[in-house]
Amino acid sequence: MQKLRQLGRLLGLHFLGGRRTWHNRVFDERFACIADKDRPYHGSLVWDQNIVFPVVHAAAGPGTCNLEEGCNIIASGPSLLQVPDRERLLDRFSVVVNGAYAAVERGARRFDLYVVTDHRFVRNDWDRLCAGLEASHMFATHHHIYMEILKRDPRVLADRRLMLFTNLNRPYLGPRLEREASYNSPDVRVLRQHVACCFDPAVGAFTGRTVVFFCLQLTCGWGFRDIYLWGVDMTGGARNYVEAAPAPSYLLSCLDDEILPSFCLAAQMAAERGIRLWNCSPVSRLPVEFFPRLEPDVAFKGSTGGISP
């Protein structure tokens, strides 16, 4: 079918080629995102014409933090539970996804950034999403997820620091990024459909079929020199938090053809920029030649603190 669609694009046949903006059908007409012309990288999320939330674009950066110290990306793989002293994950800039915050004893401290990119998590794990918002200084996601949250209950976004980035596989009100667009930017590479990477937050990020890949692209684009990955097991659908009805995972169907090639592409781009990627997951399918293993006690050394409150 994919080859038929590619042929259709060449022939100009929309039936076979697909519509380049067809993904925008998911957006509710009550949702809008408006840029602030007077403040670069700032704007507003608007719902139903009268509910407005200020939002900052990911291109503005992560805030006041030590880029040289690196950051922790905390994923949902069950091997995270094998890491001792997990509260130390908050000692440097910390990015946590989905329900992984529940695996870390944090006391009164909060994660620097909470990221959710799957609409199924919003729809099926609403209470967990709300708890993640409470557990973090800032929330980051793309347009579709903000729309899903606003549709459910806009009140949960009130008085929160919100960050927005573009999902390049389904950009809001625009066409998907075509392969040709990568030729003019050293920060964007597209090998094939669902295997692409972008280190320019102003442009956006590709899905890589997993929320961790969004986080990896953003943190590399922001200039962190060392990025530590935790709980990136990629061994199946199991997670490090209890689920009443476990959501299906792309890991079971897309790991070898899309997910791992995307991560390896990101690792190659990171190496070219002098960015070091460390896999601190006790169990992981990430290839060691691209993501060297690092023991947790070694990774924890040198951590002094994340973002300023």
Side-chain angles (χ1 to χ4, degrees):
M1 178 57 74
Q2 181 59 32
K3 291 183 178 179
L4 285 174
R5 287 181 174 176
Q6 291 173 348
L7 177 61
R9 292 191 186 100
L10 291 175
L11 298 176
L13 301 176
H14 291 292
F15 176 75
L16 291 177
R19 284 175 257 180
R20 295 176 67 233
T21 59
W22 183 241
H23 56 277
N24 281 291
R25 70 192 186 280
V26 302
F27 288 103
D28 192 297
E29 62 182 8
R30 293 171 292 177
F31 174 79
C33 182
I34 303 173
D36 187 335
K37 296 180 180 179
D38 298 322
R39 301 177 66 201
Y41 304 134
H42 287 75
S44 300
L45 300 172
V46 182
W47 181 251
D48 205 18
Q49 298 185 2
N50 59 7
I51 301 176
V52 181
F53 296 102
V55 65
V56 63
H57 196 277
T64 305
C65 60
N66 187 348
L67 297 177
E68 294 297 327
E69 188 180 65
C71 69
N72 292 320
I73 298 178
I74 306 158
S76 303
S79 76
L80 180 65
L81 300 174
Q82 301 177 29
V83 176
D85 303 321
R86 290 190 295 279
E87 69 278 2
R88 297 184 65 185
L89 290 170
L90 285 85
D91 288 347
R92 63 165 60 93
F93 189 90
S94 54
V95 182
V96 68
V97 308
N98 297 342
Y101 59 84
V104 180
E105 293 289 339
R106 58 185 180 84
R109 304 166 72 193
R110 291 193 290 173
F111 298 95
D112 295 300
L113 188 65
Y114 180 46
V115 183
V116 172
T117 58
D118 190 340
H119 67 275
R120 297 171 301 177
F121 188 85
V122 179
R123 295 175 181 176
N124 302 329
D125 284 288
W126 180 255
D127 291 342
R128 205 183 304 275
L129 169 73
C130 294
L133 293 172
E134 292 292 335
S136 308
H137 289 294
M138 182 181 291
F139 177 59
T141 190
H142 52 76
H143 302 78
H144 186 187
I145 300 302
Y146 276 123
M147 185 204 69
E148 291 287 345
I149 295 173
L150 291 169
K151 186 188 300 184
R152 177 72 177 264
D153 187 353
R155 294 173 297 179
V156 302
L157 297 182
D159 301 319
R160 300 197 186 280
R161 297 169 64 185
L162 305 177
M163 176 179 285
L164 175 72
F165 55 84
T166 296
N167 175 354
L168 291 174
N169 293 91
R170 290 187 172 186
Y172 174 62
L173 300 185
R176 294 180 177 88
L177 186 65
E178 298 292 340
R179 181 169 182 166
E180 291 77 9
S182 69
Y183 296 161
N184 296 324
S185 173
D187 293 319
V188 181
R189 291 188 192 171
V190 180
L191 297 187
R192 60 179 185 272
Q193 187 177 29
H194 298 305
V195 180
C197 184
C198 176
F199 281 179
D200 185 351
V203 175
F206 293 95
T207 71
R209 297 290 194 179
T210 173
V211 59
V212 174
F213 193 64
F214 277 111
C215 300
L216 183 60
Q217 292 169 92
L218 290 176
T219 51
C220 285
W222 287 333
F224 285 101
R225 307 317 299 166
D226 289 275
I227 299 174
Y228 305 86
L229 305 177
W230 306 81
V232 187
D233 298 14
M234 298 186 174
T235 54
R239 296 173 173 88
N240 55 33
Y241 52 91
V242 178
E243 296 179 283
S249 172
Y250 283 116
L251 290 173
L252 301 176
S253 58
C254 303
L255 181 66
D256 293 326
D257 293 335
E258 298 176 13
I259 298 175
L260 288 179
S262 295
F263 273 83
C264 291
L265 175 61
Q268 293 171 346
M269 292 175 62
E272 293 169 3
R273 292 158 175 77
I275 300 172
R276 295 174 289 270
L277 306 180
W278 305 100
N279 187 2
C280 307
S281 312
V283 177
S284 179
R285 293 281 300 276
L286 286 176
V288 67
E289 60 268 29
F290 290 100
F291 295 86
R293 294 294 187 91
L294 197 64
E295 291 297 321
D297 59 335
V298 178
F300 285 142
K301 291 180 179 178
S303 299
T304 58
I307 198 169
S308 299

